[in-house]
Amino acid sequence: APRLVLWMVTRSCPLHCPHCLSAATPGAGQHTSLDLAADLVAQASALGVEELLLTGGEPLAHPHWPVIMELLAAHRVRWSLNTAAMPTPTQQRASEAWPPCFVAGSRDGPPAAHDAFRGRGAFQQAINSLGYFAELVPGRVAAGTTVTTANFSELPATFGWVLESGSSECGLHLLVPEGRALERPDLFLSRRQLKRLLEFAAAKRQYFPVNMADEIGYCGYWAPLVSAGRFFCGAGKLQCVVLHDGHVKTCPTWDVSAR
């Protein structure tokens, strides 16, 4: 059984981030149906999947979030969350009945930089969301920063906001040439900037858990300096991805899928 299943519960998202893998707009047919959701959660439970990661799009944009929480609770399936939004009161009550084991939220810079990247008002949403989940599951919340040429110079200030957010760790992400990012080559870091990013991560890790996310791949002698563990690709071995329509992929950035 896979240890981790990434479930893209919806392709929909109210934001318009230029790096989005999904690159979908709100509309019909963007969400996992409840029948498919029930089947997936039941299979995850039967297989003994260790963790079901709810992602998207924006997973909190799914119109039947409380029902999904009920399914997870009924089958006692451990779940985690990737989000850039603050849950509504209804979503909060549903999530608190069966809390996540881990939450990753966005923090892409100080207010102006974050909103320029994700949309007006997104920074306050992220602040509220990270604070809420930090209280719900203390010590199990990560602030994720997607580092681009647009916010690279803001890294020191961004790190300060991360420390104040209540997050227990920081994840530094890179763009991948998928979705909307294909149309924005200007956002990809140069080799010089990548090296400076590695130096930044290594320096901050001396007193706070900062990790380069998987997009960096294998980075040689830098690996133990910027990550908590050895690089290992678990695609199709320890993890897989289930899209909103039930298609299964080994990796969110590889377009080979099966039913």
Side-chain angles (χ1 to χ4, degrees):
R3 293 182 181 175
L4 175 68
V5 174
L6 289 78
W7 175 16
M8 295 186 173
V9 299
T10 180
R11 294 185 70 219
S12 182
C13 180
L15 304 180
H16 299 282
C17 309
H19 71 303
C20 184
L21 293 176
S22 180
T25 55
Q30 303 291 339
H31 313 297
T32 299
S33 69
L34 290 182
D35 287 343
L36 182 56
D39 187 34
L40 172 60
V41 173
Q43 288 191 50
S45 176
L47 284 170
V49 171
E50 294 182 16
E51 181 182 341
L52 195 58
L53 169 58
L54 276 58
T55 183
E58 171 51 62
L60 292 173
H62 197 288
H64 302 296
W65 184 263
V67 179
I68 292 176
M69 294 296 101
E70 291 174 0
L71 290 169
L72 293 170
H75 289 276
R76 316 301 289 178
V77 173
R78 293 176 75 248
W79 67 285
S80 55
L81 175 66
N82 278 347
T83 182
M86 175 67 182
T88 66
T90 299
Q91 291 173 330
Q92 290 178 34
R93 289 191 293 271
S95 302
E96 289 163 9
W98 183 245
C101 63
F102 184 79
V103 176
S106 64
R107 181 57 58 83
D108 294 314
H114 187 100
D115 282 3
F117 191 65
R118 293 186 178 267
R120 186 175 181 181
F123 178 83
Q124 192 59 51
Q125 281 269 322
I127 284 277
N128 295 342
S129 181
L130 287 170
Y132 166 73
F133 284 112
E135 290 188 5
L136 180 62
V137 285
R140 289 178 282 172
V141 174
T145 299
T146 301
V147 185
T148 70
T149 55
N151 67 356
F152 181 78
S153 63
E154 302 279 8
L155 274 176
T158 302
F159 187 67
W161 282 102
V162 168
L163 295 178
E164 294 180 6
S165 69
S167 301
S168 51
E169 60 183 272
C170 174
L172 298 175
H173 297 264
L174 299 177
L175 294 182
V176 292
E178 298 282 345
R180 294 191 186 119
L182 278 173
E183 302 173 0
R184 296 297 305 274
D186 58 299
L187 291 176
F188 286 77
L189 300 182
S190 66
R191 290 180 63 88
R192 181 180 180 184
Q193 288 172 320
L194 281 171
K195 183 177 180 182
R196 289 175 59 191
L197 177 60
L198 291 171
E199 293 170 347
F200 176 87
K204 299 306 182 186
R205 269 184 64 83
Q206 296 181 47
Y207 58 92
F208 188 80
V210 177
N211 294 297
M212 291 298 306
D214 291 345
E215 300 94 351
I216 191 68
Y218 176 65
C219 51
Y221 62 84
W222 283 101
L225 303 177
V226 299
S227 178
R230 270 190 324 185
F231 175 76
F232 172 76
C233 178
K237 305 168 187 174
L238 300 180
Q239 68 183 49
C240 65
V241 182
V242 179
L243 304 184
H244 73 288
D245 59 2
H247 281 81
V248 177
K249 298 169 56 176
T250 59
C251 172
T253 61
W254 192 33
D255 287 332
V256 177
S257 62
R259 206 56 188 190

